[in-house]
Amino acid sequence: DTAVSQTPKYLVTQMGNDKSIKCEQNLGHDTMYWYKQDSKKFLKIMFSYNNKELIINETVPNRFSPKSPDKAHLNLHINSLELGDSAVYFCASSEGDGRKVAFFGQGTRLTVV
Amino acid sequence: AQSVTQLGSHVSVSEGALVLLRCNYSSSVPPYLFWYVQYPNQGLQLLLKYTSAATLVKGINGFEAEFKKSETSFHLTKPSAHMSDAAEYFCAVSDRGSGNTGKLIFGQGTTLQVKP
């Protein structure tokens, strides 16, 4: 079984559209994250949820809205997509302690055309 | 604010040669330290982590790293490179102390090329 799974793996869409990426973890972790990897492969955290509560929001445009229906799921909805949103988005989960390992999904490659 | 610097965005070694990937952190309190590997079109996989007093940490696939507080470094090494080691390597840090969220701050990444 995949520990952290994201769907879709690839997403190509036009500017101005709204899209969602889904993430699920079966590790029983309390904390989930969204990271963005840009074209230079730089990884930066976007959001974190702990038990469905938002705990990190790293100055991400409000077109990005995470939603956590339960602690095993963290979805990312993006409104009015822009060319600059093209990136790979990774979901991750951990026990929410800095010592603990974060497990990453396979990533969703978003291409905005 | 914490930061992580990986010296060398691209490292090329011959198969069988020593691999050395450099990582330095900037933090007043030594953070927890991690090395992750990313194979093409895949997610990140943990290689090893430093979270305790043992400064030499062994990881998967023959990799190890040594935490040196005096140098604020956590360099990754492998005695003998294999073709399958070709990948992107990321050093990352996480805060210690109460209130830490497990948030990772990543270095810029190092692409390891292994030549036959």
Side-chain angles (χ1 to χ4, degrees):
Chain A
D1 282 347
T2 304
V4 182
S5 59
Q6 297 177 228
T7 53
K9 189 172 174 64
Y10 300 96
L11 186 54
V12 181
T13 188
Q14 291 186 326
M15 284 176 54
N17 283 352
D18 302 339
K19 290 293 178 185
S20 292
I21 306 172
K22 295 186 176 182
C23 179
E24 176 182 5
Q25 56 96 0
N26 63 7
L27 297 166
H29 291 158
D30 289 337
T31 306
M32 296 184 71
Y33 312 85
W34 279 109
Y35 287 85
K36 180 180 179 179
Q37 185 174 46
D38 64 22
S39 58
K40 296 182 179 178
K41 298 194 175 181
F42 183 64
L43 278 152
K44 186 175 180 184
I45 192 163
M46 300 173 68
F47 301 104
S48 176
Y49 269 73
N50 179 272
N51 270 323
K52 304 191 294 177
E53 181 182 347
L54 180 67
I55 56 172
I56 296 175
N57 182 341
E58 291 280 323
T59 60
V60 176
N62 58 16
R63 297 182 295 103
F64 290 78
S65 53
K67 286 185 172 53
S68 181
D70 56 61
K71 74 173 192 177
H73 296 83
L74 180 61
N75 304 322
L76 183 64
H77 188 76
I78 315 170
N79 289 325
S80 303
L81 278 155
E82 301 177 356
L83 292 176
D85 297 332
S86 295
V88 181
Y89 293 85
F90 285 100
C91 178
S93 74
S94 79
E95 294 178 49
D97 182 311
R99 289 168 291 183
K100 303 298 185 179
V101 176
F103 291 82
F104 285 79
Q106 295 292 292
T108 296
R109 183 175 295 276
L110 172 65
T111 304
V112 183
V113 297
Chain B
Q2 288 207 35
S3 66
V4 182
T5 302
Q6 291 181 238
L7 292 175
S9 59
H10 190 98
V11 170
S12 182
V13 300
S14 297
E15 191 173 19
L18 171 72
V19 175
L20 171 60
L21 304 182
R22 300 178 187 273
C23 173
N24 289 86
Y25 66 90
S26 172
S27 173
S28 56
V29 176
Y32 299 119
L33 293 148
F34 304 82
W35 275 99
Y36 281 87
V37 61
Q38 183 181 24
Y39 298 104
N41 297 316
Q42 293 191 26
L44 282 76
Q45 179 184 2
L46 181 75
L47 279 176
L48 47 78
K49 65 176 182 177
Y50 167 74
T51 60
S52 67
T55 57
L56 183 61
V57 181
K58 295 188 184 299
I60 63 171
N61 301 340
F63 283 94
E64 62 181 38
E66 185 172 9
F67 170 67
K68 292 187 177 180
K69 183 178 177 180
S70 61
E71 299 178 6
T72 61
S73 69
F74 190 57
H75 301 332
L76 182 70
T77 60
K78 181 174 181 177
S80 176
H82 192 272
M83 296 296 291
S84 61
D85 294 326
E88 191 78 19
Y89 291 79
F90 292 95
C91 182
V93 301
S94 183
D95 281 337
R96 291 181 180 264
S98 62
N100 72 74
T101 60
K103 160 187 164 181
L104 290 169
I105 297 171
F106 285 90
Q108 304 92 320
T110 299
T111 303
L112 176 65
Q113 180 187 24
V114 182
K115 297 177 292 186

